[in-house]
Structure formats: C-alpha cells, structure tokens
Amino acid sequence: MRAELISVGTELLLGQITDTNAAFLARVLAEHGVDLYFKQTVGDNPARIQQAVRLALERADLVVMTGGLGPTEDDLTVAAVADLLGLPLVERPEAREHIRTFFETRRRPAPASVYKQALLPQGARLIPNRRGTAPGVAITHGQATIVILPGVPAEMEAMVEDFLLPWLRERTGGQVIRSRILRVTGLGESAVEERIKDLLAMTTPTVAPYAKLGEVHLRLTAKGTPEAVAAALDEGERLVRARLGDLVYGVDEETLEGVVGELLRRRGLTLAVGESCTGGLITDRLTDIPGSSAYLRLGVVAYSNDAKTALLGVPPELLARHGGVSPQVAAAMAAGARRAGGADLGLGVTGIAGPSGGTAEKPVGLVYLALTDGVEERVEEVRFGAAPGRRAIKVLTSQAALNLLRLHLLRASRVPG
Amino acid sequence: MRAELISVGTELLLGQITDTNAAFLARVLAEHGVDLYFKQTVGDNPARIQQAVRLALERADLVVMTGGLGPTEDDLTVAAVADLLGLPLVERPEAREHIRTFFETRRRPAPASVYKQALLPQGARLIPNRRGTAPGVAITHGQATIVILPGVPAEMEAMVEDFLLPWLRERTGGQVIRSRILRVTGLGESAVEERIKDLLAMTTPTVAPYAKLGEVHLRLTAKGTPEAVAAALDEGERLVRARLGDLVYGVDEETLEGVVGELLRRRGLTLAVGESCTGGLITDRLTDIPGSSAYLRLGVVAYSNDAKTALLGVPPELLARHGGVSPQVAAAMAAGARRAGGADLGLGVTGIAGPSGGTAEKPVGLVYLALTDGVEERVEEVRFGAAPGRRAIKVLTSQAALNLLRLHLLRASRVPG
C-alpha cells in the first residue's frame, strides 16, 4: 500500500505551530509497512486543498488528511473534498446528537456553527470522535481511500487508535514493522557505537543509535509477523545488552527517574538529596514518579555555603579549605542530607553550571557527585565543559547523579541481603 | 512573492523526526510578507525530489529546500536538482578548502566522502556554512530562485541569517510582518479573552490568544514598514496592558522565573523555598536563571511530615491538627524556609499532585501557597483538579507560586523604600 499525508492549516504555513501530527501518522504508517513517499501541507483554502488531494490520488491508494474539521469559517477540508469528488454533504443525525450531548454534559451552550461538523459527504464512513465534536471521515474513491482526521492531536490520535490501526491491520496482512528503544546512559555516543559497531550492520533487527541529552537511544527495528518481530527484537536486545550490560537503563518509554524509583521501592530504601548546581532538578525528576513520597525523604537545595553548613552540616573549614565545588564537600553534602532526612541513602551534588563562576582550576561544567549509604561512600568527578550551557549542564548533572544511584542500587541488589 | 518549501529526508516520512525546520522557515517567510501556499516533504529519492521541485517551480518564485546535503549516499538533493535543471556539478575550491579546514581544526580526519559536498551546480551561488561542512546553494532558474539549505537546524538557521534574510529584505521592499507575544498568567484563557474581547477584532495589530500550560500567550501581529509595525505593536501592547495590567508578566521569550529573578535582584531581596508537592521544580526553575545564586538562599523539598518538622520547623501539632496539605502548614513552611535560609522572603508550597493520595475533602490538585516577608504573610488556595495529571499539576503549582512571588515583588516595589 502507498499512502500520502496532507496536513491542512494556514497556521502551519505561517509557522505558528509545528506539524507533530505528520510525524505521528508517519510512524503509524511505517509500523505497518505502508510506503509514504510524499507529504503535503496546504492552507485553509478549498482550491488548494483540492489540488493537493487530486495530486495525492494520482500517486497513493491511501490519503490521510488532518486539520480543518473545526466549526469556524476557516475549516473547509470536508466540504472541499466532497466538492472535488462530486459528493453532496448530508447531515448525519448521530453526529448531530453527539455534538448536542457533548455540550450538554459540559453545561455549555452549543454555538449554531458547530453543527456544521455533522455534515458529511454522502456515502462516507463516520469515525466517532470520543474527545471532541468533529467526526472523522473515511471515503472510498475508486481503488483509493481518503481518511480525514481532526487537527487536534488528542482527537486525531484517538481516531487512529479506534479506526486507522484496525483498518491498516486488516489490509497489511498481519505484517508489521516495530521498534524497541534501548536507553543507554553513562557513556557517550561514539563510545556506545564503538562497542556495538558490528551490530549496526545487522538487518534483523536493524540497530540505529540516536544521541540525546545525557543518553543514547538505540532503536531496534524489525519487520514481519508480530511473532517474528517480537523474537527479532528480543534477540537484538539480548545482543546489545551482552555488550553494554548495566549501561542500558531502560526500554521504550522508561525514564531514569522511574527506574531509580522502582529500584528504591523494591529494595525498601529511602533517599535524601543535597543539591547545589542542579537547583532541585534531581528531586523534581524523582517526584515526577507517582508514589515517590514512599522513598524520597528530603531534598535540600543549598546554593550558598551558609545553607550547606546550616542544613546539611557541611563543616565551614571544609568549605574554606576545598571550596564549595569539591569532592570533599559533595561527600559532606551526601552525608548531611542522609542524616537530616533520616534516610538510608544520601546523594550530594555540587558543581558550576555557569555561565559565570568558573576558574581555570574549576571551570564551568565541573561537577562532583557523591553517594553514601552510611558505610561506604562513592565520589565522582565529571567535566561537561561550558559548551552545553546552563540548563543542559543541570540536566546532564542530574542524569549522572541518578545513574550513580541506579548503579549502586543494582549492585546492592546483587548481594543477597 | 510566492514561496514553496520542500523538506527532504526519509526520516521525516518514517516519523523519526518532527519537521521543525519547516515551521522556522514558514515564520521567516511570513514575517516578510511572502505567501506560502504549499509545503512538500519527500524522501531521499532523486526522482521524487525532482517531481517535488518541478511542481514547486510551477507555482512559486522562491523554492526553499532543506535536507539531503550530507556526505552519505542518501544525500542527493543538490545532485537531483542539478540534474533536473540540466546543470553539471562543478567542484568549488572554496568549499573544498572550508571542509579541509573544518576537519583540521577539529583534529579529525576528513572522510573522502565529505568532499562530495564541495560539488555545486554550475553557476550556483555558494552559501557558506559557518557551523558545518555542507555549503548551501542558491540557483536562479528563469524568474525563480531555488535555495537549498542543510537539514541540521543550527546550520540551516545560520544560513537563513547570513543569506536568506538579507535576500528577502532586498526583495520585499522593506515590508515586514512582525509579532510580539504578551505572556499572561494568573487568569484562564476564557477569562483573558472576556477582558480583551473587543481587541480580538482589531486588525492593526491583530491579537490572537493561545492557551499554554499555566499561561496564556497573546500574539500581536502587524504588517508594514518596520517603523509602522513597531508603533502598531507598541499601541497594541498598551491596549492589552490597560485591560490586563499585572497579569501580563512578560514579553516574547521572557520566562516567569526570569522575571521573578530580575525583580528579586533589583530589589536586593533574597528568597528561601519550602516545597512539598512540586518536589524541587520551583527552585529548579529559579536556578535556570544565570546568577540566581545571588538571591536564592535555600530550597527544601520536604515531602514527609518529619522533614517538614526537622528542616522547616513546622510544629507536629499543626501537622496533626490540619494535615500536611493545609493553609496553616503552607504558611509554616514559608516561615520555616525563610528562617532556615536567613532570607528576606519565604515561599511555602504544599498540595496533592496525585494520582493517588486525594480524599473527598482534599482532592488531587488541591494546593496551598504561602509567602511571607517576616511581617505580612499571604496564603492562597488553588484547585487544579486531577485531570491535568501529576506533571502538569506540578508545573501549574510552580507557576502559581512564582506568580504569587512576582505580584508581591511588584507591589513591594511601588512603596518608595
């Protein structure tokens, strides 16, 4: 099957919004092995919408359109397509009823203009909208099918799930293309590539690295029956893990803070964090995980030396002798956070996020991380350099600190306790 | 002038990346009053690239292409266009020299394939690449111009600045379309619209509201000479501010944390923050601003009652009587943070981010914010409901807390002191 996408909306051509719908739909098509050779974007103009559809019908058997289904005068997609195909618009009672109920349950008056959304081309299939008022439309035209979806991403995505996915599965003979992402942290992109160099030449699955801030994503992709694809992805994951081991922290949508939280929860351990340069980002990430109150006892953001002493008990002599950014102070912050929070583990982070405050000896991007469980302590020095900029240095530091914690928890869990 | 955009790259049609370049270029064209009616996306395939260019040349006098300028076999854009127009490729010594130097200064060997980027269509204008190796290309073809830019956003944007902007200014007779964004927080979208309803009908400038998480952006847009546009935007801003007053917290790229930081800095005041449900997000945002160490004394993330008592001095009786999520505890956290940090101002935040932990009396999304300067204290209750979800509740809460602080600092600064 060959598909073509048409995004409709003047706001896209004015650059007021980025077309994320197109990327979403492209992924859906790719996962089903549907070829997508062209994508068009047009404004809210009937003649140009028709020109785009005419062209797409010449070169594709599935045309997926998004946008222009709203209630305003600018929303012209359905009428333009109906006119092009010579189909009269007919009011669909179920669509009208859905719109009426939608407003009634929200106790808002339905503006008269909204009922225009109940007009569909004669003979078209109506795709219900469970998140909004405008129904989607599927039209069979000769050998081709035209699917028109709303531009609101949540509404569009629900219709893809409800209608387009089953429709595609029926027509692609059960062949799927699926990807799995292995998330790697603690090693740079080129070092990761070096270790898996030969795997990059595999075809089942293919392995493609993508560098992200503080991590590398390895995208494994395979095509075939769902069973064959699952087996290929499992085998690919096994091969990658054999090379990278603990550097793989998660799969697909897993986050580092989620993985760390799960390890803390399973081990029944609590944590306290003393942060300087990250300014609260570490606890912000940890507390994005529901239920994190079970293991996160305390966070202290101690930028100043006074706060480091008063709240984390960092001795003033230590600060005077080594400076706020030093392995000694990081360790004292970790121990102080652990003590103040009455936690099992203490994490301490100090560094220079910049852009100012760096010296030749202690440049911007220099960071010290410390972790203690009250018996052992581990201190790491990392140098990110000034180039990434303040926000990225904060993110990279939080990533390295959470990874230090993760590796400790993994090792700890190996000792039968 | 009429323009058309062509994005080249199979990764776009596989949905692996979102086409942010197109939105950027669309904005540049819109700002110069250039009509953009169509955008096409094609994969790395010479025949389809040529088909797209042929179509674009039929309907536009400026064709801007991005992507496919790299050194690999997949990078075919320049060769495909040259072939379509019947222009031989000629090596440009200045491009070759630039590539050689680029690798030399980075002490990396230049792969032989990279020199392919020095081949340009005969007669084309070379656009230097100050951030990478591949030069851009501008070709005059009859009445039309084809501009080919790299797909790497930083390289593309530099060439827009160096080449496309001056080129457009020369040809659009000094007419520009410019926007200014007024950032509003503390009032919902429909309430904002209600207050400026009549301004939404203006044409010079136009005013369009966009709802964002925790804020509303009002985009003012005007067209004309740079002087007329500046005057129209100033007048529009004056009218909006007359209606919304202090609710407008910033302009264009200003952030709430940046505005708050600047107010603290100017007033010479210091701050300490006691956070519960926001988990460090407030201090994370504040410390994204360079120089924030001058005014942020301390942050404490006290999820547990123990930590609220131990570090912020919240009396256990208060916690027992009113619960951790209460106006009394928020106020005690603000006062405790101020005291522990030795700061002028204390901000306290407690609430239920969910998804669990809510009750009928204290549902998910209930938040208390408190601010004290040691003399006066202010406590606010906000109810976001459970629907936004945990992360959004954290963001909305941090926004409300920073806005409470901003409004206090604005009022404070009105008293001559």
Side-chain angles (χ1 to χ4, degrees):
Chain A
M1 195 182 336
R2 192 170 290 187
E4 183 147 347
L5 295 180
I6 302 177
S7 302
V8 181
T10 300
E11 68 276 25
L12 291 165
L13 293 178
L14 291 173
Q16 290 168 357
I17 57 173
T18 297
D19 193 357
T20 54
N21 286 344
F24 176 87
L25 287 165
R27 271 195 302 278
V28 166
L29 295 170
E31 278 167 13
H32 289 80
V34 177
D35 289 324
L36 177 67
Y37 289 152
F38 293 99
K39 210 212 89 183
Q40 304 182 65
T41 306
V42 283
D44 301 304
N45 174 288
R48 290 194 282 272
I49 292 172
Q50 291 174 349
Q51 189 181 337
V53 175
R54 216 179 292 122
L55 180 62
L57 285 171
E58 283 169 23
R59 49 192 190 189
D61 7 87
L62 171 64
V63 180
V64 183
M65 306 178 70
T66 55
L69 298 196
T72 76
E73 281 174 27
D74 285 348
D75 294 301
L76 302 159
T77 305
V78 173
V81 172
D83 180 47
L84 174 71
L85 305 181
L87 300 171
L89 289 171
V90 182
E91 183 174 273
R92 298 287 280 262
E94 70 270 45
R96 194 181 172 86
E97 179 57 20
H98 171 72
I99 293 167
R100 204 189 54 72
T101 319
F102 184 91
F103 280 93
E104 201 174 82
T105 57
R106 279 158 187 77
R107 290 167 204 200
R108 278 158 44 196
S113 61
V114 81
Y115 286 110
K116 156 182 157 187
Q117 298 176 321
L119 297 173
L120 262 65
Q122 194 164 56
R125 174 163 171 181
L126 181 153
I127 309 172
N129 186 338
R130 60 180 151 93
R131 291 185 174 152
T133 53
V137 179
I139 305 167
T140 307
H141 178 74
Q143 296 302 306
T145 302
I146 302 173
V147 177
I148 310 177
L149 303 175
V152 179
E155 300 180 17
M156 182 276 292
E157 287 166 21
M159 289 191 196
V160 166
E161 208 175 287
D162 298 345
F163 171 78
L164 192 60
L165 288 182
W167 191 93
L168 285 169
R169 270 195 290 265
E170 222 171 82
R171 276 154 192 84
T172 50
Q175 290 275 311
V176 297
I177 299 182
R178 285 208 183 120
S179 288
R180 182 178 300 171
I181 291 167
L182 300 180
R183 298 172 154 235
V184 177
T185 194
L187 205 62
E189 191 193 14
S190 50
V192 169
E193 281 189 33
E194 192 58 40
R195 288 215 201 172
I196 58 162
K197 206 190 276 175
D198 54 323
L199 302 183
L200 297 177
M202 277 198 308
T203 53
T204 312
T206 57
V207 181
Y210 296 86
K212 306 273 165 178
L213 189 60
E215 53 188 83
V216 178
H217 291 182
L218 298 176
R219 182 194 288 265
L220 279 49
T221 306
K223 180 173 182 172
T225 64
E227 298 72 29
V229 163
L233 294 178
D234 286 347
E235 175 61 10
E237 177 171 345
R238 199 188 59 73
L239 290 168
V240 169
R241 284 186 185 271
R243 306 294 170 81
L244 297 175
D246 286 350
L247 293 166
V248 178
Y249 78 78
V251 177
D252 289 337
E253 298 304 307
E254 286 183 316
T255 61
L256 186 55
E257 50 270 32
V259 168
V260 166
E262 181 58 22
L263 285 167
L264 284 165
R265 207 187 51 72
R266 262 198 271 152
R267 299 268 301 148
L269 293 172
T270 57
L271 173 70
V273 186
E275 302 184 51
S276 173
C277 63
T278 42
L281 177 56
I282 295 173
T283 56
D284 176 38
R285 291 181 61 176
L286 286 167
T287 61
D288 277 350
I289 307 303
S292 45
S293 54
Y295 46 80
L296 182 67
R297 280 285 162 83
L298 174 71
V300 172
V301 179
Y303 249 40
S304 67
N305 284 352
D306 285 358
K308 289 186 182 82
T309 299
L311 277 101
L312 296 173
V314 179
E317 316 82 73
L318 207 66
L319 289 160
R321 195 166 345 127
H322 304 289
V325 178
S326 60
Q328 294 85 354
V329 167
M333 289 171 70
R338 180 177 171 276
R339 205 167 42 236
D344 298 309
L345 298 169
L347 185 62
V349 175
T350 181
I352 303 163
S356 62
T359 62
E361 200 199 338
K362 295 187 177 179
V364 170
L366 172 66
V367 169
Y368 292 97
L369 314 168
L371 180 68
T372 179
D373 60 5
V375 181
E376 281 183 291
E377 89 178 10
R378 195 185 158 94
V379 182
E380 280 185 11
E381 178 188 289
V382 194
R383 290 170 185 264
F384 297 115
R390 185 175 178 91
R391 178 69 195 173
I393 290 173
K394 287 179 66 178
V395 172
L396 291 167
T397 304
S398 72
Q399 188 78 355
L402 291 174
N403 198 41
L404 175 65
L405 182 54
R406 180 182 70 91
L407 294 173
H408 173 84
L409 291 166
L410 281 180
R411 276 190 294 270
S413 67
R414 281 197 200 117
V415 181
Chain B
M1 195 182 336
R2 191 170 292 185
E4 184 148 345
L5 295 180
I6 302 175
S7 303
V8 181
T10 299
E11 68 277 21
L12 290 165
L13 294 177
L14 292 174
Q16 290 168 357
I17 56 172
T18 298
D19 193 358
T20 54
N21 285 345
F24 176 88
L25 287 166
R27 271 194 303 279
V28 166
L29 295 170
E31 278 166 14
H32 290 81
V34 176
D35 289 323
L36 177 67
Y37 290 150
F38 293 98
K39 207 213 92 182
Q40 304 181 67
T41 307
V42 285
D44 301 303
N45 173 290
R48 291 194 283 273
I49 292 172
Q50 291 174 349
Q51 190 181 335
V53 174
R54 217 180 292 120
L55 180 61
L57 286 172
E58 283 169 22
R59 49 192 191 188
D61 7 87
L62 170 64
V63 179
V64 183
M65 307 178 71
T66 54
L69 298 196
T72 77
E73 281 173 26
D74 285 347
D75 294 301
L76 302 159
T77 306
V78 172
V81 173
D83 180 47
L84 175 72
L85 305 180
L87 299 171
L89 289 171
V90 182
E91 183 174 274
R92 298 285 283 260
E94 69 270 46
R96 194 181 172 86
E97 179 58 19
H98 171 70
I99 295 168
R100 203 189 56 72
T101 318
F102 184 91
F103 280 92
E104 199 173 83
T105 56
R106 279 158 187 78
R107 289 166 205 201
R108 281 159 43 198
S113 62
V114 81
Y115 287 109
K116 153 184 160 183
Q117 298 177 320
L119 296 172
L120 263 64
Q122 194 166 55
R125 174 161 171 182
L126 181 152
I127 309 172
N129 186 339
R130 59 180 150 95
R131 291 183 175 153
T133 52
V137 179
I139 305 167
T140 307
H141 177 73
Q143 296 300 308
T145 303
I146 303 173
V147 177
I148 311 176
L149 303 174
V152 178
E155 299 180 17
M156 182 275 292
E157 288 166 20
M159 288 190 196
V160 166
E161 208 176 287
D162 299 346
F163 171 78
L164 193 61
L165 288 182
W167 191 93
L168 285 169
R169 270 196 289 266
E170 220 171 84
R171 276 153 191 84
T172 51
Q175 290 275 311
V176 296
I177 299 183
R178 284 206 184 121
S179 289
R180 181 178 302 172
I181 291 168
L182 300 180
R183 298 173 153 232
V184 177
T185 194
L187 205 62
E189 191 193 12
S190 51
V192 169
E193 281 188 33
E194 194 58 42
R195 288 213 200 172
I196 57 163
K197 207 190 276 176
D198 55 321
L199 302 184
L200 297 178
M202 276 197 310
T203 53
T204 311
T206 57
V207 180
Y210 295 85
K212 307 275 166 177
L213 188 60
E215 52 187 86
V216 178
H217 292 182
L218 299 175
R219 182 195 287 266
L220 279 49
T221 307
K223 181 172 180 171
T225 63
E227 297 72 27
V229 163
L233 294 178
D234 285 347
E235 173 62 7
E237 177 170 346
R238 198 188 60 74
L239 290 168
V240 169
R241 284 186 185 270
R243 306 292 171 82
L244 297 175
D246 284 351
L247 293 165
V248 178
Y249 79 77
V251 176
D252 288 337
E253 298 304 307
E254 285 183 316
T255 62
L256 186 55
E257 51 269 33
V259 168
V260 165
E262 180 59 21
L263 284 167
L264 284 165
R265 207 188 50 73
R266 261 197 272 153
R267 299 267 301 148
L269 293 172
T270 58
L271 173 72
V273 186
E275 301 184 51
S276 173
C277 63
T278 42
L281 177 56
I282 295 174
T283 55
D284 177 37
R285 290 180 62 176
L286 286 166
T287 59
D288 277 350
I289 307 303
S292 46
S293 54
Y295 45 80
L296 182 66
R297 278 286 161 84
L298 173 71
V300 172
V301 179
Y303 249 40
S304 67
N305 284 350
D306 285 359
K308 289 187 182 82
T309 300
L311 278 100
L312 297 173
V314 180
E317 316 83 75
L318 207 66
L319 288 160
R321 196 170 342 130
H322 304 289
V325 178
S326 61
Q328 295 84 355
V329 168
M333 288 172 71
R338 179 176 171 276
R339 207 168 38 238
D344 298 308
L345 298 168
L347 184 63
V349 176
T350 180
I352 303 164
S356 63
T359 63
E361 202 200 336
K362 294 187 178 177
V364 170
L366 172 66
V367 169
Y368 293 97
L369 314 168
L371 180 68
T372 180
D373 60 4
V375 181
E376 281 182 291
E377 89 180 9
R378 194 186 159 95
V379 182
E380 281 185 10
E381 178 188 288
V382 193
R383 289 170 186 265
F384 297 115
R390 187 176 176 90
R391 178 67 195 174
I393 290 173
K394 287 179 66 178
V395 172
L396 290 166
T397 304
S398 72
Q399 188 78 355
L402 290 174
N403 198 40
L404 175 66
L405 183 55
R406 180 182 69 92
L407 293 173
H408 172 85
L409 292 166
L410 281 179
R411 276 189 294 271
S413 69
R414 281 200 198 112
V415 181

